[in-house]
Amino acid sequence: MVVAAPRLYPHQWSWDAAFIAIGLARISVPRAITEMRTLLHAQWDTGMIPHIVFTDVPGYFPGPDVWGTDDAEAKPTGVQTSGICQPPIQAIAAARILQAGRRAGGRDEEDAEAFAIEVVPKLAAWHRWLSSARDPDGRGLVEIHHGWESGMDNSPRWDDAYAAITVNKSVELRRHDTALVKDASERPTDTEYQRYLHLVAQMRSVQYRDTEIPPIIDFRVGDVFMTAILAVAAQELAQMGADVGLSGQVADQLALATKAQAGVLSSISPTTGLCRDFDARSDSWTSAESMASFSALLCGGDSLVCARQQEIITGPRWAGHPDLAYALPPTVSPRAEGFQPRTYWRGPNWPVMNWLFAWALRRRGEFALADLWRSEGLTQLGDLAFSEYYQPFTAEPLGSRNQSWTAAVALDWVAEQA
Ligand code: 9WN
């Protein structure tokens, strides 16, 4: 397996692993398969793919002792994991591995076919779990119970939900991240971490049992971006299942994709035309503007909605802002109140997000914009820092260096462009 980053993240992360496998598939089908197998080996009995699979390397907080998932009945034994999940990129990666194997032929093709047959049922179970256990109110949106599940940890998307949380008993923070990333403003604050840990403690108190979490957790938000990814991932899986003769195993995936797509479209604000998350605790749509506001561009489903979102994201409020170093969308609009160009998910540009949106645009036939973001994205990565994120005006590399998924994105783009 590949760790998410050499020092900051010395373990395997779920959606990182999928992006990493997409990059690896360009240079080594067996390595891409190993990456995915390692992750899926840690899949819980419920179908959940945990967000972290721990190595025994120390130096990350919160580690296995804080998660305490050994008490969770659904966790497989012999592996240490966190107790939450992340966006479901895995079927997209599996389909790319199959494609790469078939392109290469020979042994790679045989391995990729065998791998596809092995993972189709696992990924189908994962999607089913997201669509059922994580949609307890039947709203059509995947509900998350921690900002980390969104992958966009401290995005303004979660500000209201987090503001409503009162942490009664503060936890001792043993953070390593702020020692490794020298400028603390690039990372979330201690107050944010107190809330993060509070939610982990709540889930742990019910041994991570799916049905017992919603009634007790202080964070329940329907995540529109995760839902859009589920919609495309389920479509990819339906196709891949049919390709390897396992149509029966994926019989529900297109319906599940349609439900997720409808969930995304139901979130569109009639005033802005943008997607929104739904806060189940306050029973209201959120108003924060972020890259997730453009989730319809990932899953499509309504050409007028997509055309409007594409116009906004390429306009001066976003990727067309005149002061940007590259014409790429920052995680938050530079014109939004609270935009912070150096702080994690509150403004910087994330290469992996550029890849995801460019991939989805290409898939929906939007070649010109997909080409532009690939070419701008590759130029940005020409600094060879492979940073976790970038200051959008100066292109200064921020967060971790040699972040694995950033390198993976570069590998895929270079090969695709060739
Ligand atoms: C918590 C590994 C992960 C990414 C997330 C990113 C960051 C972790 C952290 O790093 O989150 O999961 O410790 O900050 O926000 O998207 O998967 O690269």
Side-chain angles (χ1 to χ4, degrees):
M1 61 173 272
V2 175
V3 294
R7 299 186 63 213
L8 190 58
Y9 308 121
H11 308 288
Q12 187 179 43
W13 260 259
S14 162
W15 76 327
D16 296 55
F19 286 111
I20 289 163
I22 288 169
L24 285 176
R26 293 291 191 173
I27 51 168
S28 163
V29 169
R31 282 187 66 191
I33 292 176
T34 300
E35 183 67 19
M36 292 291 292
R37 277 204 179 120
T38 310
L39 178 69
L40 286 165
H41 182 64
Q43 182 171 25
W44 287 28
D45 293 349
T46 50
M48 181 181 85
I49 298 181
H51 109 292
I52 304 177
V53 181
F54 288 103
T55 62
D56 52 9
V57 176
Y60 178 79
F61 177 82
D65 56 322
V66 178
W67 288 98
T69 51
D70 281 345
D71 297 338
E73 277 163 30
K75 185 186 79 69
T77 49
V79 61
Q80 292 198 298
T81 79
S82 68
I84 58 172
C85 65
Q86 274 188 327
I89 304 287
Q90 296 77 19
I92 301 172
R96 303 276 291 203
I97 293 173
L98 181 61
Q99 211 179 59
R102 286 182 172 172
R103 224 177 11 236
R107 181 70 196 270
D108 277 355
E109 182 167 13
E110 279 168 32
D111 288 353
E113 296 283 342
F115 165 74
I117 288 168
E118 165 193 327
V119 295
V120 162
K122 296 179 188 210
L123 295 174
W126 162 224
H127 292 171
R128 236 168 257 141
W129 177 81
L130 284 168
S131 184
S132 54
R134 286 310 187 91
D135 187 11
D137 300 338
R139 207 167 261 118
L141 293 173
V142 176
E143 181 172 301
I144 59 167
H145 299 142
H146 198 297
W148 281 337
E149 295 201 300
S150 71
M152 297 188 192
D153 310 4
N154 71 340
S155 168
R157 296 169 72 190
W158 319 125
D159 284 0
D160 289 347
Y162 276 128
I165 298 178
T166 314
V167 177
N168 294 324
K169 203 167 118 252
S170 58
V171 183
E172 183 208 354
L173 298 179
R174 288 170 278 128
R175 295 180 65 176
H176 299 269
D177 59 323
T178 36
L180 293 165
V181 176
K182 295 284 176 280
D183 176 358
S185 78
E186 293 173 33
R187 295 284 309 174
T189 61
D190 278 357
T191 310
E192 286 169 315
Y193 260 76
Q194 283 295 345
R195 293 186 174 125
Y196 298 162
L197 272 297
H198 168 79
L199 295 177
V200 170
Q202 287 192 313
M203 288 183 266
R204 185 176 177 173
S205 75
V206 293
Q207 284 87 44
Y208 300 91
R209 278 189 286 271
D210 287 335
T211 51
E212 291 177 36
I213 292 173
I216 57 123
I217 193 92
D218 286 339
F219 187 108
R220 287 185 59 195
V221 187
D223 178 336
V224 72
F225 173 76
M226 188 132 159
T227 306
I229 293 174
L230 176 61
V232 271
Q235 286 169 3
E236 292 284 311
L237 188 63
Q239 181 64 53
M240 186 168 91
D243 279 359
V244 295
L246 291 181
S247 300
Q249 303 266 1
V250 292
D252 57 349
Q253 295 295 307
L254 282 182
L256 203 145
T258 305
K259 177 190 166 205
Q261 194 180 51
V264 172
L265 295 176
S266 76
S267 81
I268 306 285
S269 152
T271 8
T272 63
L274 298 179
C275 297
R276 296 172 294 178
D277 300 301
F278 188 83
D279 189 326
R281 286 176 56 84
S282 64
D283 201 28
S284 58
W285 293 104
T286 60
S287 58
E289 223 186 328
S290 75
M291 259 195 112
S293 310
F294 302 95
S295 293
L297 293 181
L298 297 178
C299 65
D302 182 324
S303 53
L304 287 179
V305 164
C306 289
R308 185 158 178 210
Q309 292 199 352
Q310 195 160 317
E311 194 184 328
I312 300 173
I313 204 169
T314 51
R317 202 172 162 77
W318 286 88
H321 190 287
D323 299 333
L324 293 179
Y326 297 102
L328 295 166
T331 38
V332 169
S333 161
R335 295 198 175 152
E337 204 186 313
F339 163 75
Q340 291 174 247
R342 299 177 64 79
T343 308
Y344 217 36
W345 291 97
R346 304 181 80 90
N349 179 267
W350 284 66
V352 74
M353 288 294 111
N354 302 332
W355 185 94
L356 180 64
F357 274 87
W359 171 81
L361 285 166
R362 190 175 303 285
R363 186 174 180 272
R364 294 184 25 256
E366 296 292 343
F367 301 114
L369 188 56
D371 284 350
L372 175 71
W373 285 359
R374 181 183 64 203
S375 117
E376 290 286 284
L378 266 176
T379 313
Q380 171 170 262
L381 299 183
D383 69 351
L384 303 184
F386 301 110
S387 257
E388 194 179 4
Y389 41 100
Y390 285 82
Q391 211 278 18
F393 301 132
T394 61
E396 179 192 350
L398 300 172
S400 169
R401 303 298 185 275
N402 296 320
Q403 176 85 7
S404 303
W405 67 5
T406 307
V409 160
L411 278 177
D412 186 65
W413 271 338
V414 166
E416 187 182 72
Q417 196 177 247

